[in-house]
């Protein structure tokens, strides 16, 4: 048995240590139960995914599990001794627990042990799979060499004394050699370099971002990485480690299996089997992203800027709220670095030098992201051979013409009673993308406004019911209601 998902089952009692017998387990999800007691030390070398969130577990996270991201343990009263500078995880994610009781600890044990027989079969299958995969495997070191086109320029293996620097509280125990030996695939090329997914042997998959054209020296680079690496927030993707040598600059993050908001929103639109991104999730993505950016804006004496907010840099945390990645890179880059065109649609009009972004330009970029979530359209749409439509200008013109209802994504039309909420989010988005930076709201105010769209708990928790249509509609909502039918 390789995958066990017993989430949302109302299990109580403690987690049986005998789970360690399932040595082939790759994924274990016990989230959203009522499990209590201490987390046992589980020696599961193949375990790549673990979710224990939203139980009543207590005590110290055992060393064997400290390699997993902090969100794995959210909603429990547990702490990791080695998390020197991070606050102990707060009981933030108190998701509503579904009451499908299946009988407590014994049922849990029964199911797990019963699965052992299947585990033997699974193991056999896994061995066959691994053998066939190894032949086609490409390793990160080879990928990096290939990208350079010249073996001499291959990544420095730390000969100059450089090592991977792990952020405080990060319990990964691999080193640069392990990373280079890991099998890897290219996830994409962005403004700041190429991003790889690396599959390490006894750690969950990680993302390696290889920066190109860094324009600052070691000291400045390290200072920025340490600043970013200290941020602990459920809506900010943690920087796990970085590496700096003369020839190579790497950043290491957790791998987000669901992909980015860009992929979730735009991917497979033409495919019949596509599962649309529902309104509740879009709302949570917006709130999460805004909270993450607001947290970033409080760092470094309130001066830190993200500088590259866009849908491909937002991921979903375990509660499906937006989680912001890739911050603080713009200032480290060469002045001549040309931003790729898909960034252009998010850039505030006053930003002429991509390295000189501001908190107000972050607000603009978030506004564009909100419009993207509402319309399902990319910030820059190429129509026909060369006509480029700017999303902000298109939405502004449609709203000006009082055809507001036409801006909304057709995929959202299936959800009842959400029009008022969509119009409220549209108003917030339009306030964020006003031309004059000083007229834009502060990010902390954007968070408040977004949170007011739907009553939420203190943490990252949605309330499942939509607002009823009974309250007084906003002026825009009235426009939307009186508008002509969508063309
Ligand atoms: N931690 C992660 N988990 C999963 N996918 C990721 C992760 N980080 C980046 N990606 C994905 O990898 C791809 C390449 O990312 P990268 O950041 O290099 O480019 P980008 O986001 O398109 O542009 P930019 O460099 O301007 O941020 C994107 O599709 C991105 O969503």
């Amino acid at each position: 048995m390789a995958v066990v998902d017993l989430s949302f089952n109302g299990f109580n009692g403690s987690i049986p240590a005998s789970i360690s017998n399932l040595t082939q387990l790759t994924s274990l999800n016990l989230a959203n139960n009522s499990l209590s007691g201490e987390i046992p030390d589980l020696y599961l070398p193949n375990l790549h995914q673990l979710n224990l969130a939203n139980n009543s577990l207590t005590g110290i996270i055992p060393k064997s599990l400290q390699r997993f991201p902090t969100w794995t343990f959210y909603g429990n009263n547990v702490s990791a001794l080695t998390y020197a500078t991070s606050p102990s995880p707060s009981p933030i994610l108190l998701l509503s627990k579904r009451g499908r009781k299946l009988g407590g600890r014994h049922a849990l044990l029964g199911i797990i042990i019963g699965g052992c027989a299947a585990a033997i079969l699974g193991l056999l299958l896994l061995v066959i799979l691994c053998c066939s995969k190894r032949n086609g495997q490409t390793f990160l070191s080879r990928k990096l060499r290939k990208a350079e086109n010249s073996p001499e320029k291959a990544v420095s293996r730390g000969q100059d004394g450089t090592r991977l620097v792990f952020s405080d509280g990060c319990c990964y125990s691999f080193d640069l050699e392990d990373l280079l030996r890991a099998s890897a695939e290219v996830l994409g090329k962005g403004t700041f370099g190429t991003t790889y997914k690396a599959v390490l042997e006894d750690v969950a998959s990680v993302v390696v971002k290889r920066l190109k054209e860094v324009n600052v020296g070691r000291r400045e680079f390290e200072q920025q990485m340490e600043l970013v690496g200290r941020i602990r927030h459920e809506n900010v993707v943690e920087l796990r480690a970085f590496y700096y040598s003369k020839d190579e600059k790497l950043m290491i993050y957790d791998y987000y299996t669901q992909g980015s908001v860009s992929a979730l929103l735009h991917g497979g639109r033409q495919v019949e089997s596509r599962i649309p991104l529902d309104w509740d999730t879009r709302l949570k993505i917006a709130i999460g992203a805004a909270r993450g950016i607001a947290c970033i804006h409080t760092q470094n004496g309130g001066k830190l800027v993200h500088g590259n907010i866009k849908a491909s840099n937002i991921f979903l945390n375990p509660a499906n709220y937006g989680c912001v990645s890739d911050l603080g890179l713009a200032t480290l880059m060469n002045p001549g670095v040309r931003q790729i065109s898909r960034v252009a649609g998010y850039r505030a009009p006053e930003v002429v030098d991509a390295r000189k972004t501001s908190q107000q330009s972050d607000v603009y970029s978030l506004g564009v992201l909100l419009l993207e979530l509402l319309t399902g359209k990319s910030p820059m749409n190429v129509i026909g051979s060369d006509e480029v439509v700017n999303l902000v200008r298109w939405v502004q013109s449609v709203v000006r013409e009082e055809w507001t209802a036409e801006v909304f994504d057709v995929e959202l039309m299936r959800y009842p009673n959400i029009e008022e909420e969509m119009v409220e989010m549209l108003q917030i988005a339009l306030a964020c993308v006003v031309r004059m930076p000083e007229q834009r709201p502060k990010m902390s105010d954007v968070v408040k406004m977004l949170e007011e769209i739907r009553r939420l708990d203190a943490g990252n928790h949605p309330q499942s019911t939509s607002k009823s249509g009974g309250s007084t509609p906003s002026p825009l909502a009235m426009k939307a209601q009186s508008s002509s039918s969508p063309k």
Side-chain angles (χ1 to χ4, degrees):
M1 185 158 52
V3 176
V4 171
D5 185 350
L6 298 173
S7 55
F8 290 103
N9 267 304
F11 284 128
N12 50 37
S14 53
I15 299 175
S18 52
I19 290 183
S20 282
N21 297 336
L22 296 175
T23 51
Q24 294 310 311
L25 212 55
T26 58
S27 170
L28 176 64
N29 187 352
L30 299 177
N32 299 291
N33 284 294
S34 303
L35 296 168
S36 55
E38 297 201 350
I39 305 170
D41 225 348
L42 300 175
Y43 295 100
L44 293 166
N46 293 313
L47 194 65
H48 291 316
Q49 284 178 340
L50 175 69
N51 194 349
L52 302 179
N54 304 315
N55 280 290
S56 306
L57 298 163
T58 49
I60 309 287
I61 299 167
K63 204 155 182 291
S64 60
L65 302 182
Q66 292 193 357
R67 66 181 192 272
F68 291 99
T70 42
W71 56 254
T72 305
F73 308 99
Y74 276 155
N76 291 289
N77 195 13
V78 294
S79 60
L81 276 182
T82 44
Y83 282 29
T85 59
S86 74
S88 60
S90 53
I92 333 159
L93 297 183
L94 298 169
L95 281 177
S96 63
K97 295 180 183 184
R98 285 198 265 142
R100 276 193 286 136
K101 291 238 182 232
L102 286 187
R105 189 181 172 207
H106 289 107
L108 175 62
L109 250 175
I111 292 171
I112 291 171
I113 293 168
C116 281
I120 298 166
L121 259 176
L123 173 68
L124 214 68
L125 205 69
L126 210 74
V127 170
I128 297 168
L129 260 174
C130 284
C131 291
S132 60
K133 220 182 152 196
R134 241 168 224 296
N135 300 331
Q137 218 170 37
T138 319
F139 299 97
L140 185 62
S141 54
R142 217 186 301 159
K143 289 249 180 218
L144 298 189
R145 267 203 298 273
K146 227 170 134 195
E148 289 284 359
N149 262 337
S150 135
E152 297 86 326
K153 278 193 168 180
V155 60
S156 149
R157 294 186 170 218
Q159 297 97 329
D160 54 351
T162 48
R163 321 186 120 264
L164 278 180
V165 180
F166 289 92
S167 303
D168 282 341
C170 174
C171 298
Y172 285 153
S173 56
F174 57 86
D175 58 22
L176 190 63
E177 285 295 327
D178 297 325
L179 200 60
L180 295 173
R181 269 199 304 268
S183 63
E185 70 180 83
V186 175
L187 291 174
K189 280 187 193 202
T191 319
F192 304 118
T194 305
T195 301
Y196 305 86
K197 174 189 173 192
V199 184
L200 288 146
E201 257 165 31
D202 46 7
V203 179
S205 299
V206 293
V207 162
V208 180
K209 192 160 184 141
R210 185 189 203 196
L211 303 175
K212 59 178 183 199
E213 313 208 52
V214 171
N215 188 39
V216 297
R218 173 190 292 272
R219 211 178 135 69
E220 200 177 325
F221 182 85
E222 284 179 351
Q223 275 173 353
Q224 185 75 348
M225 292 298 115
E226 278 160 16
L227 178 64
V228 170
R230 273 199 295 272
I231 301 177
R232 294 284 179 278
H233 191 276
E234 64 264 30
N235 304 112
V236 180
V237 173
E238 281 179 35
L239 173 68
R240 291 295 184 179
F242 67 88
Y243 173 83
Y244 183 102
S245 74
K246 194 166 140 284
D247 301 321
E248 205 65 58
K249 283 98 195 152
L250 307 174
M251 294 172 83
I252 290 122
Y253 299 96
D254 292 328
Y255 175 66
Y256 281 75
T257 45
Q258 292 192 74
S260 69
V261 167
S262 175
L264 291 168
L265 192 59
H266 305 298
R269 282 235 168 203
Q270 315 307 331
V271 182
E272 225 175 274
S273 57
R274 169 182 153 82
I275 303 168
L277 199 52
D278 62 66
W279 173 242
D280 279 14
T281 311
R282 294 189 202 200
L283 194 52
K284 290 195 285 178
I285 289 169
I287 293 171
R291 286 178 182 164
I293 304 164
C295 161
I296 292 164
H297 286 181
T298 62
Q299 306 293 311
N300 199 22
K303 291 195 302 251
L304 192 60
V305 170
H306 184 292
N308 194 17
I309 298 293
K310 56 181 176 163
S312 66
N313 282 339
I314 314 284
F315 298 91
L316 265 57
N317 74 11
N320 278 349
Y321 278 75
C323 199
V324 181
S325 184
D326 241 7
L327 57 137
L329 287 179
T331 51
L332 305 178
M333 295 298 146
N334 269 331
V337 168
R338 274 199 41 197
Q339 289 215 308
I340 44 179
S341 56
R342 59 179 184 273
V343 179
Y346 295 93
R347 201 172 44 220
E350 73 277 9
V351 176
V352 279
D353 178 344
R355 293 174 311 150
K356 295 196 178 127
T357 50
S358 64
Q359 295 192 347
Q360 288 151 329
S361 65
D362 277 351
V363 172
Y364 182 97
S365 305
L366 180 80
V368 178
L369 177 78
L370 300 184
L371 293 180
E372 199 172 351
L373 289 167
L374 286 163
T375 62
K377 295 188 193 317
S378 299
M380 286 289 196
N381 281 293
V382 181
I383 300 178
S385 56
D386 54 9
E387 195 195 342
V388 178
V389 178
N390 176 294
L391 182 60
V392 173
R393 265 180 262 142
W394 177 73
V395 172
Q396 284 168 337
S397 67
V398 174
V399 171
R400 222 176 6 252
E401 297 297 327
E402 305 199 357
W403 294 340
T404 302
E406 296 198 17
V407 301
F408 300 123
D409 188 351
V410 283
E411 284 191 347
L412 291 173
M413 295 303 143
R414 67 183 73 190
Y415 305 105
N417 304 327
I418 61 165
E419 189 178 285
E420 193 185 333
E421 292 182 349
M422 292 194 300
V423 173
E424 280 182 41
M425 197 202 279
L426 179 61
Q427 287 176 309
I428 298 165
L430 290 173
C432 292
V433 297
V434 295
R435 200 167 182 83
M436 304 304 286
E438 61 280 4
Q439 287 173 6
R440 293 174 203 149
K442 283 193 176 321
M443 194 55 77
S444 51
D445 294 328
V446 177
V447 172
K448 282 188 207 133
M449 289 189 279
L450 287 170
E451 286 175 345
E452 277 167 16
I453 292 180
R454 175 95 57 91
R455 297 261 172 275
L456 297 167
D457 295 336
N460 271 345
H461 318 292
Q463 221 184 27
S464 54
T465 47
S466 283
K467 238 185 206 176
S468 78
S471 57
T472 315
S474 61
L476 259 175
M478 288 193 277
K479 274 185 190 177
Q481 282 154 13
S482 66
S483 72
S484 57
S485 58
K487 286 177 184 160

